[in-house]
Amino acid sequence: MKLVRAAWKLLVGIKDALVLAAMLLFFGALFAALNSRGRPGTIRDGALLLDLDGPIVEQPQEVQPLALLSGRQIGNQYRLRDVLRAIDAARTDTRVKAVVLDLDRFGGAYPAALGEVQDALMKVRASGKPVLAYATAYTDGGYRLAAAASEVWMDPMGGILFTGPGGSQLFYKGLIDKLGVNAHVYRVGRFKSAVEPYLRTDQSDDSREANRVLYAGLLDQWREGVARARPRAQVMPLLTRPDLVVQATGGDVAQANLRAGLVDKLGDRIAFGRRVGQIAGRDASKPAGAFNTIRYQAYVDAAPLPSKGKIGVLTVAGEIVDGEAAPGGAGGDTVSKLLYTGLADQDLKALVVRIDSPGGSVLASEKIRLAVLAAKRRGLPVVISMGGMAASGGYWVATAGDTIFAEPGTVTGSIGIFAVLPTFEGTLAKIGLSADGVRTTPLSGQPDVLAGTNPVLDAVLQSGVEHGYREFLARVSKARNMPPARVDEIGQGRVWLGGTAHQLRLVDRFGGLDAAIAEAARRAKLPADTPVVWLEKKPGFAAELAKRMTSSDRDDAGAPADAVARLAWARQQAMATALGDVRRLLTGNAGVRAQCLECAGLGPLRADVADRTLLQLVLAKVGL
């Protein structure tokens, strides 16, 4: 008995020790996290390091506290406006001796966002301050940023292989037929190709032609951006015949890139660090390659944004969904409530609506639009600022503005409506099950996911979708002062770039968020330096702590550094996102949609955990 009691005391003691150690680690991390915020006095001379090991997005997703307990690292996402203001501040900050881009694991961004960041970096370079970039292998998006650097470095074991926009997409028709799933599709628009994978096994001619024009425009803009920043770079040979370029150097891709003027120096990370140290200084007590560093997050935190202002900026970022949504998604209830609260609590004189969304729920899009109209009824001028994407439901919201700003690379339009409703009568039949019953009206038990829909319901839903499309046309017609027939002609679900959208009068002016804010101030007769307040959901203490306690995610958000592995990783992310779209549409998004699903591949690569898990299950099923 004494032995049992002794063993029990030992186990209790071990448990108490482990609990104490966990508490010490937790509170130690808490202390470090809370004290990691930069303060003006803590920023010392050095190089501002932009270690972009994740995508640049309009609004980062909120880190969930429970994710800390999952054993999975949380990937970094970088808010576009913070990246831009950090670069702009560094241009005139005497403490910043250089701006350094680490693009080894860059997660990408929409073309419009890449253009804005590139322009900001070129202003730093034009001021005479060094801008240095490093990567083992640059992506197309990463190189557009690197081209703005005064020195482009690359690992001699790395290389640049440009892919350009485009590639294959998944078509699910064959799979859902094998599973016995019947995807009932209701749509309006020749070019609403988001639903084609459920109806076809290949791309339609209309969709192929529309995408060809879209991708050609994106590629031209990318080439122009690189040529403007780095006119010596011989990009075309690597775009048209990369095999000949690489074979000419015996397979040494890095040497081929050096000869083409794409990079200035070949060297490993230590050599690059020594070069930065020559400019920004280094501490001799630190390892080789270290240099005096100003951390990005500390630099951003040292200049917090105001909490009060006369110009409100409402962000509509991510998929527009019904109900509530965390940051990184646009819940109709969440976004509209933020605006109503801002109108009540802030003395707003003007409103800017920043849209970076492929659209989503028609109901939620209308709820947000009505909230914006409430601001207009109060006499506030409303300026729309389109980010990387403002398509479909995003454009639905934009119709509430007085004027619309976009970048030439903004993806917009996609004026169309669709709905997908899955039924599983075929699946049940494969395992010997059937469904039957008594119906008192044509709509009794409809939509019947067990026995399928009937012609009456199909007619009702198709009619409802057509009505929604007419409503969409009417809103655009009124907002843009165009006949409905003309809107229908440029609508039909077709996706446009900002430059073409401007020609079609879907967009009024070119410019980023700063230009839209300046226009809002002008319309409200406010001084140019009027404070701006961001009408956004603030992360809770737990979420903020979780964000600061997580390290960068080399698995989930950061891409592989190797050139070939990076290309494969990018396709895996795209495939995971495509499978996730199937899962979302067939399990919970059966409502009427104004959404540009096909636009997802044009932006940052950030398939979520559920999508990647689904991909892993599919690959395991097929033995990969």
Side-chain angles (χ1 to χ4, degrees), residues 103 125 131-135 138 143 145-154 160 230 258 261-266 272:
L103 299 167
R125 190 177 81 178
V131 178
L132 299 95
Y134 179 87
Y138 291 97
Y143 190 74
L145 301 186
S150 46
E151 290 185 28
V152 180
W153 283 64
M154 188 172 69
I160 307 171
R230 199 170 181 82
L258 185 64
L262 299 175
V263 298
D264 299 302
K265 298 283 186 181
L266 298 179
F272 176 73

Side-chain angles (χ1 to χ4, degrees), residues 447-462:
D448 192 335
V449 298
L450 301 179
T453 62
N454 61 31
V456 174
L457 178 69
D458 290 340
V460 169
L461 293 180
Q462 179 62 35

